[in-house]
Amino acid sequence: MATHLSHPQRRPPLLRQAIKIRRRRVRDLQDPPPHATQEVQVQSHHFSPEERDLLYEEALYTVLHRLGQPEPNHVKEASELLSYLQEAFQVQPEKHQQMLQRVRELEKPIFCLKATVKQAKGILGKDVSGFSDPYCLLGIEQRVGVPEGSPVSRRRQKAVVRHTIPEEETHRTQVKSQTLNPVWDETFILEFEDIANASFHLDMWDLDTVESVRQKLGELTDLHGLRRIFKEARKDKGQDDFLGNVVLRLQDLRCREDQWFPLEPCTETYPDRGQCHLQFQFIHKRRATMASRSQPSYTVHFHLLQQLVSHEVTQHQAGSTSWDASLSPQALTILFLHATQKDLSDFHQSMAQWLAYSRLYQSLEFPSSCLLHPITSIEYQWIQGRLKAEQREELATSFTSLLAYGLSLIRKFRSVFPLSVSDSPSRLQSLLRVLVQMCKMKAFGELCPDSAPLPQMVSEALRMGTVEWFHLMQQHHQPMGILEAGKALLSLVQDVMGDLYQCRCTWNKIFHNVLKIDLFSMAFLELQWLVAKRVQDHTVAVGNVVSPDIGESLFKLYVSLKELCQLGPVPSDSHEVLALDGFHHWFQPAIPSWLQKTYSVALERVQRAVQMDSLVPLGELTKHSTSAVDLSTCFAQISHTARQLDWPDPEEAFMITVKFVEDTCRLALVYCSLIKTRARELSAVQKDQSQAADMLCVVVNNMEQLRLIIDKLPTQLAWEALEQRVGAVLEQGQLQNTLHAQLQGALAGLGHEIRTGVRTLAEQLEVDIATHIQKLIGIKESVLPEDAILPLMKFLEVKLRYMNTNLVQGNFNSLLTLLWTHTLTVLVEVASSQCSSPLVSNRLKVALQNLEFCFHGEGCGLSREALRTDTFQALQSDLELQAASSRELIQKYFCSRIQQQAETTSERLGAVTVKVSYRASEQKLHVELLSASSLLPLDSNGYSDPFVQLTLEPRHEFPELAPRETQKHKKELHPLFDETFEFLVPAEPCQKDWACLLLTVLDHDTLGADDLEGEAFLPLCRVPGLTGSAEPGEAPQMRLPLTYPAPNGDPILRLLESRKGDREAQAFVKLRRQRAKQASQHVRPTGP
């Protein structure tokens, strides 16, 4: 079965077992601990010359005895590394050559390959069960005189370890039973002399133990296993099966190697034999340098790291750039080689990195984020038992030292991390996170158990730092005298507000996010107590007598304190009392000085603005002058001062507001007086009257602008808010009676001034308007009305356009209103004096129409409602009549009587019943007068002798038709006439609105004139036969109530009567007067 080896009974000797080191033992074996530092205070990162020389010797030794291929990003050339070390240690060239020669003369270290067999996968199954019992034999073969690539060399690569490497130099792993994926994780230290002629060999074998055939048949699972039984029967008993090997040249390996290698076969039977996971590291033993012989490895590495990092940071600072925590390739290469050659564990490397960075951070400026990586590494690998007491004390000292230094930076964060440097917030946040991560470490908790919670320590540092900062700022403001003391205190308060604003906007987010500390609230509480004490002392020193200069300083200080209080955090439910609560009481004696100063400054600005004003509009759209703008700014400043003051006490706030309103109203009236005086001064030197009018327009506009400003006082001074505050203090209506009364008085005064100015402008135009209207009378009759009014309209167009350009809309409308009223008055007067002249009246009528259009200005002037006053409508109606001819007036008279007839429903005077129709084919108007009823008894016997007179009116429309009369009925009040009359008349005149059939009912008197019973007017246009083209049928009966003429006389009749030279008019008036006289002799009814 299994064949015997050449030395079947030999086992690994004790020497070989002593050389073999397993990985788990390597973790527990460490270098001697360094001497612990008893002092907690920060040590300097600079070394003494002796320490520097020892460290330099160690670095040179590391470079000169470098092993393995370089890492991808590392420096390959030793000369470059040596030059870098010379620069980093600042060694002169001569000394560098001496030390380099001395290091070369030192004894070489023992070169070792630290090989770790981690695991394998996919190996061959050599046992009947289909698995193997794998183990590995490994060692280093030193080849002497065998060239690479020769046949002998290739044969030696295929040879097994036990044939090529002496047994005492061969190492063996444990046997892993029944597996195809064994895991060993065993480490071996393999010494060698010449890396160029050395090769690493690893053979993997399947352990074969002697078993009976019965046992093997019991493990049989398939035919493949049966073939294995027959194959093993031909082997010597106890002969192990070869699974594969790995042969590597040491010079091809990097300083550290970690990868999977394929298992090579000795024959081509099974080319795929799986893979083996190996780790390699070239290390030194017995280094000849003084530092390696006298100090722990991690201490030497820590010092070397400290020196190189210090050099890197210094180089960046010399180039005016900040170090980004990235080491140069030279430094990375040297540190990597040193840690690898000294076989430093990851934990000790992290610890060395922490000690170096934490010490350097306290003396050099570089990112604190460099500390996060070693913190994380130490925390991840922390096992307290792996450190000696001295190492624990050194680590604890680094923790406490960095914590104390970090707290000192936090205490002075305002100067250490100024916002003028853009990365200051991120640097502070990085420091806080480092401290938080450090205090969370298990190592920190175990090594510094008595440390207070970090938020508590940071809060105390911030509080102390805030107080220190305040006293430092106070030292910057050393006053001389009470006035300078106020200015210095104001500057101090402004510095405090600036600091609090930075705390709230920038720093508070950082401290709250990292430590849940409300820096802003804490700083505000500390600073407000310090500020309150100094402000109170200053106001006491000022006393109750406040000069204007000191008052101004106190006001600025008061406003700054208000802003400081408003900047503070929202009050909590604890109702914590603040030192600045009620601070306004300290400034109460200065209020009269503040109010007087505000008024005096405003008055000076108003006087200066008026004196500098040339009363010229600022532009086409801005029609007031410079003083109005200055006045607006002046009043806005008063309102701003009132808002700044915002006195907390309601009753005193009310009195202060009353004073502000009183002063503002007084300034408005002063301005009106000053600006009018200024206008008179400028007008006196002007020869052109139009320029004087321009100035007057500007004055009126300025006053209007002032009125608008004054009208905004309730909003600007927040009267509604004040009313709510003083509601419980003042009597009901006191605010309205006081403030609103002041405001209304000022507005009334401004309104009077504006109206006076506008009235003056209007008076300058009224005379010319009246002159142009009077000229309409004397113009020749041949001139058309439109041409006659042309001078008047051109005059108004020029003047009104000028006024519209120079006046604001409100004042322009006021001017138009005055001019319109005056123009109507003049037109009424002229119309009354020329009522008998239709020609003049027609011109006045056309003038009124054009004037209305002119003053309306297509919507830019007065509205239609404002123009069409009662006076206008009466004048329009009068001119409509006066401009009409006599016949047109007669026609209007009959139209009015027809309208009166239509509106009359009462039959108290009686009524007549008729049938009227028109036969177009015969051109005849057919009238059937049926009866009259309920006539008034006009005779002494209580009856009347009625008859009816029929006429077609107006007479000039029917000149050839004589009046008709009915029969006279004696002593009858309800006569039945039943008479028919026909009028031969064309249809055209009958269809006019004023054409009518006049039925006059008279009482016949034998001795005197007939008496009038009443009149009835029937419009002919409504008669059947005239309203349509068809011939009428049976005409309907119409009952017409009788009416009387107007008792007070008709205006049309009066107008006709005034036309003495018109016979037709006089005849018509005579007849109508006769009828009116007859009607007036009888008792009239009260209603129609």
Side-chain angles (χ1 to χ4, degrees):
M1 300 220 349
T3 58
H4 292 282
L5 300 175
S6 59
H7 303 284
Q9 301 300 325
R10 294 182 62 179
R11 292 289 183 267
L14 294 177
L15 177 61
R16 202 173 80 191
Q17 293 180 4
I19 296 175
K20 183 174 62 176
I21 303 174
R22 303 198 186 280
R23 183 181 178 89
R24 59 180 180 273
R25 297 180 58 194
V26 172
R27 293 200 199 100
D28 298 332
L29 296 177
Q30 304 294 339
D31 293 320
H35 296 290
T37 302
Q38 300 298 328
E39 297 181 1
V40 177
Q41 70 181 71
V42 178
Q43 297 181 0
S44 172
H45 68 279
H46 298 291
F47 297 104
S48 66
E50 294 79 9
E51 292 174 331
R52 185 187 294 269
D53 290 344
L54 291 179
L55 196 58
Y56 192 55
E57 178 190 57
E58 177 75 15
L60 294 176
Y61 192 86
T62 299
V63 174
L64 292 177
H65 297 290
R66 178 179 186 176
L67 295 173
Q69 294 294 324
E71 296 293 321
N73 297 324
H74 287 183
V75 177
K76 298 180 180 180
E77 300 298 330
S79 59
E80 184 178 350
L81 297 178
L82 293 175
S83 299
Y84 173 78
L85 286 174
Q86 180 183 353
E87 181 184 357
F89 282 83
Q90 298 179 352
V91 178
Q92 296 298 325
E94 183 178 355
K95 184 178 180 180
H96 170 73
Q97 292 298 328
Q98 293 175 357
M99 293 193 69
L100 185 61
Q101 182 62 32
R102 189 177 68 189
V103 171
R104 284 196 176 105
E105 294 173 356
L106 292 176
E107 181 183 357
K108 292 183 178 182
I110 298 175
F111 298 135
C112 300
L113 177 66
K114 181 179 178 181
T116 300
V117 183
K118 299 291 290 184
Q119 58 183 323
K121 62 182 179 180
I123 65 175
L124 297 178
K126 291 290 187 175
D127 293 341
V128 176
S129 61
F131 295 98
S132 295
D133 302 320
Y135 69 94
C136 297
L137 295 177
L138 61 151
I140 292 180
E141 178 191 9
Q142 292 288 344
R143 298 186 300 276
V144 179
V146 180
E148 291 294 333
S150 65
V152 176
S153 176
R154 288 193 294 270
R155 286 197 300 271
R156 293 183 66 85
Q157 289 181 2
K158 294 293 184 177
V160 297
V161 170
R162 60 185 59 169
H163 295 163
T164 58
I165 300 175
E167 185 176 2
E168 64 273 9
E169 298 178 8
T170 302
H171 304 271
R172 176 174 174 165
T173 66
Q174 293 181 348
V175 178
K176 300 298 178 179
S177 301
Q178 296 297 296
T179 179
L180 298 180
N181 300 293
V183 178
W184 288 285
D185 199 14
E186 297 183 37
T187 302
F188 305 89
I189 304 298
L190 310 177
E191 298 180 2
F192 62 91
E193 294 181 0
D194 184 9
I195 191 173
N197 296 316
S199 298
F200 171 80
H201 285 253
L202 180 143
D203 292 347
M204 190 176 296
W205 296 86
D206 170 39
L207 181 66
D208 194 3
T209 57
V210 178
E211 295 179 340
S212 65
V213 175
R214 183 185 301 275
Q215 291 173 326
K216 292 182 178 180
L217 289 174
E219 298 174 0
L220 185 62
T221 58
D222 53 14
L223 292 176
H224 188 63
L226 184 60
R227 283 196 297 269
R228 287 199 188 98
I229 293 177
F230 293 146
K231 183 178 179 181
E232 289 179 0
R234 296 193 295 269
K235 294 194 307 181
D236 294 335
K237 292 184 178 180
Q239 182 179 357
D240 295 341
D241 292 321
F242 180 76
L243 297 177
N245 70 352
V246 177
V247 180
L248 303 170
R249 296 189 306 173
L250 294 191
Q251 64 182 5
D252 295 335
L253 297 178
R254 290 197 296 266
C255 191
R256 282 185 182 178
E257 198 79 60
D258 184 354
Q259 61 176 301
W260 289 83
F261 296 92
L263 292 171
E264 300 292 340
C266 286
T267 66
E268 299 299 327
T269 306
Y270 295 102
D272 185 7
R273 291 175 174 265
Q275 293 178 311
C276 184
H277 184 194
L278 300 176
Q279 290 179 345
F280 300 108
Q281 178 180 340
F282 289 111
I283 64 174
H284 291 174
K285 281 186 178 180
R286 292 203 295 269
R287 290 166 67 95
T289 60
M290 183 61 68
S292 294
R293 295 199 303 268
S294 62
Q295 298 179 10
S297 295
Y298 94 92
T299 302
V300 178
H301 187 73
F302 147 52
H303 289 163
L304 180 59
L305 174 62
Q306 181 175 318
Q307 178 64 31
L308 297 184
V309 171
S310 174
H311 168 68
E312 297 269 332
V313 174
T314 305
Q315 287 296 103
H316 279 81
Q317 291 177 346
S320 301
T321 59
S322 59
W323 187 52
D324 60 355
S326 299
L327 290 172
S328 64
Q330 295 87 348
L332 288 174
T333 303
I334 295 171
L335 292 172
F336 175 79
L337 292 175
H338 187 263
T340 304
Q341 293 172 6
K342 301 285 284 185
D343 194 18
L344 280 178
S345 66
D346 291 341
F347 175 79
H348 281 85
Q349 290 185 55
S350 299
M351 184 173 172
Q353 190 178 10
W354 164 258
L355 293 175
Y357 280 152
S358 63
R359 179 174 295 183
L360 289 172
Y361 180 72
Q362 300 176 44
S363 55
L364 295 176
E365 183 177 351
F366 63 87
S368 58
S369 57
C370 298
L371 301 170
L372 289 175
H373 175 70
I375 285 177
T376 305
S377 299
I378 293 174
E379 177 70 6
Y380 181 72
Q381 305 174 72
W382 174 252
I383 300 175
Q384 185 179 11
R386 71 166 55 185
L387 294 181
K388 301 296 179 63
E390 294 83 357
Q391 294 175 331
R392 291 199 301 272
E393 185 173 353
E394 185 177 17
L395 189 57
T397 300
S398 69
F399 287 153
T400 56
S401 175
L402 182 65
L403 180 60
Y405 179 71
L407 291 175
S408 69
L409 295 183
I410 293 172
R411 188 173 66 251
K412 299 179 292 184
F413 78 91
R414 293 172 173 86
S415 57
V416 176
F417 303 100
L419 285 179
S420 57
V421 181
S422 60
D423 64 341
S424 290
S426 60
R427 287 168 49 219
L428 175 60
Q429 187 172 18
S430 178
L431 171 62
L432 292 176
R433 288 178 174 172
V434 167
L435 296 179
V436 168
Q437 293 300 322
M438 183 186 75
C439 293
K440 285 182 178 179
M441 295 171 64
K442 294 191 291 288
F444 183 87
E446 294 173 5
L447 299 179
C448 306
D450 298 329
S451 178
L454 181 61
Q456 177 181 339
M457 293 187 289
V458 173
S459 297
E460 181 61 21
L462 291 172
R463 189 192 65 78
M464 294 175 57
T466 299
V467 176
E468 292 172 0
W469 173 85
F470 180 84
H471 290 297
L472 180 63
M473 290 295 102
Q474 189 177 11
Q475 292 176 4
H476 292 168
H477 307 285
Q478 293 297 332
M480 299 293 292
I482 192 68
L483 181 59
E484 295 298 324
K487 295 179 179 179
L489 186 55
L490 175 62
S491 299
L492 180 61
V493 173
Q494 291 174 344
D495 289 342
V496 167
M497 286 195 297
D499 179 73
L500 287 175
Y501 182 78
Q502 292 180 357
C503 288
R504 184 177 68 179
C505 297
T506 303
W507 304 122
N508 198 66
K509 291 184 289 187
I510 296 175
F511 283 97
H512 186 269
N513 292 338
V514 179
L515 291 168
K516 306 301 180 185
I517 294 176
D518 189 355
L519 168 65
F520 173 69
S521 298
M522 184 208 66
F524 179 80
L525 291 176
E526 290 294 331
L527 292 173
Q528 64 96 24
W529 281 103
L530 297 170
V531 168
K533 178 66 171 61
R534 283 146 187 82
V535 172
Q536 195 168 12
D537 292 345
H538 177 67
T539 53
V540 171
V542 170
N544 293 329
V545 180
V546 181
S547 65
D549 292 338
I550 294 179
E552 183 178 0
S553 175
L554 286 177
F555 182 77
K556 294 179 180 178
L557 183 59
Y558 170 82
V559 173
S560 296
L561 288 180
K562 282 182 65 65
E563 295 176 359
L564 177 60
C565 292
Q566 294 170 356
L567 187 63
V570 178
S572 60
D573 297 335
S574 59
H575 302 293
E576 184 176 2
V577 178
L578 301 179
L580 287 176
D581 288 344
F583 75 89
H584 63 282
H585 294 298
W586 309 336
F587 296 87
Q588 198 165 15
I591 292 178
S593 173
W594 295 347
L595 296 177
Q596 182 59 38
K597 179 72 173 180
T598 302
Y599 177 77
S600 300
V601 171
L603 180 60
E604 291 176 3
R605 293 185 64 177
V606 169
Q607 292 172 339
R608 185 167 58 253
V610 172
Q611 191 63 33
M612 299 296 294
D613 196 351
S614 57
L615 296 182
V616 175
L618 293 175
E620 294 183 2
L621 300 179
T622 305
K623 299 178 181 180
H624 47 263
S625 61
T626 56
S627 64
V629 178
D630 294 338
L631 190 66
S632 177
T633 304
C634 178
F635 284 2
Q637 184 61 43
I638 294 176
S639 301
H640 178 65
T641 302
R643 289 193 298 271
Q644 283 182 311
L645 186 56
D646 191 23
W647 196 256
D649 182 74
E651 191 170 1
E652 293 177 355
F654 171 71
M655 299 306 299
I656 292 172
T657 304
V658 169
K659 178 61 176 173
F660 275 126
V661 175
E662 179 183 345
D663 290 346
T664 304
C665 295
R666 188 193 313 169
L667 286 172
L669 297 178
V670 168
Y671 174 79
C672 290
S673 176
L674 292 175
I675 199 67
K676 289 191 296 184
T677 303
R678 177 65 175 168
R680 285 193 294 269
E681 292 174 355
L682 294 177
S683 299
V685 298
Q686 296 293 339
K687 297 181 179 180
D688 190 355
Q689 291 299 318
S690 62
Q691 293 184 351
D694 293 346
M695 294 180 185
L696 184 57
C697 290
V698 173
V699 169
V700 172
N701 292 337
N702 287 355
M703 292 180 181
E704 178 65 25
Q705 183 69 14
L706 177 58
R707 188 187 65 80
L708 296 176
I709 296 172
I710 295 295
D711 202 30
K712 296 178 182 178
L713 273 181
T715 302
Q716 293 178 342
L717 298 181
W719 285 8
E720 291 185 3
L722 178 64
E723 188 171 7
Q724 294 176 358
R725 289 174 55 193
V726 303
V729 179
L730 301 180
E731 298 179 1
Q732 185 176 5
Q734 185 174 353
L735 185 141
Q736 294 284 342
N737 296 335
T738 305
L739 295 180
H740 287 277
Q742 287 180 327
L743 181 63
Q744 294 303 320
L747 291 176
L750 285 174
H752 174 73
E753 295 290 346
I754 292 171
R755 288 191 299 273
T756 301
V758 174
R759 178 74 264 174
T760 303
L761 290 172
E763 288 173 353
Q764 296 177 358
L765 300 177
E766 287 174 352
V767 176
D768 294 332
I769 292 175
T771 302
H772 279 87
I773 293 175
Q774 291 290 342
K775 288 181 179 180
L776 294 177
I777 301 175
I779 297 177
K780 297 179 180 180
E781 295 183 1
S782 59
V783 178
L784 295 176
E786 290 76 8
D787 296 334
I789 65 170
L790 194 58
L792 170 63
M793 302 312 300
K794 287 184 177 181
F795 168 79
L796 285 176
E797 181 181 5
V798 172
K799 294 299 182 180
L800 294 184
R801 180 178 298 174
Y802 169 81
M803 292 299 175
N804 186 33
T805 302
N806 291 276
L807 289 176
V808 297
Q809 189 64 40
N811 292 335
F812 180 66
N813 288 342
S814 299
L815 176 66
L816 288 180
T817 301
L818 292 174
L819 293 178
W820 181 245
T821 303
H822 170 74
T823 301
L824 290 179
T825 302
V826 173
L827 287 174
V828 168
E829 293 175 356
V830 175
S832 299
S833 64
Q834 300 294 323
C835 63
S836 61
S837 173
L839 177 64
V840 175
S841 298
N842 191 35
R843 291 174 179 173
L844 295 177
K845 172 186 170 183
V846 175
L848 182 63
Q849 294 173 350
N850 284 271
L851 287 171
E852 180 189 8
F853 179 79
C854 177
F855 277 80
H856 180 61
E858 297 181 351
C860 298
L862 297 179
S863 64
R864 295 292 185 185
E865 293 75 12
L867 290 169
R868 294 177 179 178
T869 61
D870 293 342
T871 303
F872 169 83
Q873 294 180 11
L875 177 61
Q876 187 180 41
S877 178
D878 291 343
L879 291 178
E880 188 72 26
L881 295 177
Q882 293 175 195
S885 64
S886 298
R887 289 190 174 184
E888 290 175 341
L889 290 176
I890 294 171
Q891 293 168 0
K892 290 180 180 295
Y893 174 82
F894 282 108
C895 285
S896 65
R897 295 304 303 269
I898 291 172
Q899 183 65 29
Q900 179 188 1
Q901 182 69 54
E903 296 172 355
T904 302
T905 57
S906 174
E907 296 183 359
R908 301 190 61 179
L909 298 181
V912 294
T913 303
V914 296
K915 288 182 179 183
V916 182
S917 62
Y918 181 79
R919 295 183 177 88
S921 58
E922 301 176 0
Q923 291 190 347
K924 288 183 179 180
L925 180 68
H926 183 77
V927 179
E928 294 184 31
L929 185 57
L930 301 180
S931 63
S933 60
S934 304
L935 300 177
L936 294 178
L938 300 181
D939 294 339
S940 58
N941 57 7
Y943 294 96
S944 293
D945 301 328
F947 68 98
V948 179
Q949 188 179 71
L950 292 79
T951 59
L952 295 183
E953 299 289 348
R955 296 290 179 87
H956 60 266
E957 293 287 354
F958 308 99
E960 298 179 357
L961 296 179
R964 311 287 181 87
E965 289 183 359
T966 65
Q967 297 294 325
K968 301 176 180 62
H969 293 255
K970 296 293 185 177
K971 298 181 181 181
E972 186 66 56
L973 297 179
H974 305 280
L976 183 61
F977 298 107
D978 197 16
E979 297 184 31
T980 301
F981 303 92
E982 287 185 348
F983 296 90
L984 182 62
V985 59
E988 181 180 356
C990 297
Q991 292 175 339
K992 296 179 180 179
D993 292 339
W994 52 81
C996 63
L997 172 64
L998 173 58
L999 302 171
T1000 306
V1001 181
L1002 299 170
D1003 173 35
H1004 176 68
D1005 285 336
T1006 305
L1007 298 178
D1010 296 334
D1011 297 324
L1012 179 65
E1013 287 279 356
E1015 297 176 316
F1017 296 83
L1018 176 65
L1020 298 180
C1021 60
R1022 300 178 186 175
V1023 170
L1026 290 172
T1027 56
S1029 58
E1031 292 289 335
E1034 181 67 22
Q1037 291 186 8
M1038 290 182 286
R1039 188 175 178 88
L1040 303 176
L1042 298 180
T1043 61
Y1044 274 168
N1048 298 324
D1050 194 291
I1052 295 177
L1053 296 179
R1054 290 197 296 272
L1055 188 57
L1056 287 171
E1057 188 176 15
S1058 66
R1059 299 179 179 181
K1060 302 298 184 180
D1062 191 339
R1063 294 182 179 181
E1064 183 178 3
Q1066 295 301 317
F1068 179 79
V1069 170
K1070 180 178 179 181
L1071 177 60
R1072 300 320 302 170
R1073 291 296 186 192
Q1074 180 181 357
R1075 294 287 186 250
K1077 181 179 179 182
Q1078 292 172 340
S1080 65
Q1081 295 176 356
H1082 310 295
V1083 179
R1084 300 284 304 279
T1086 59

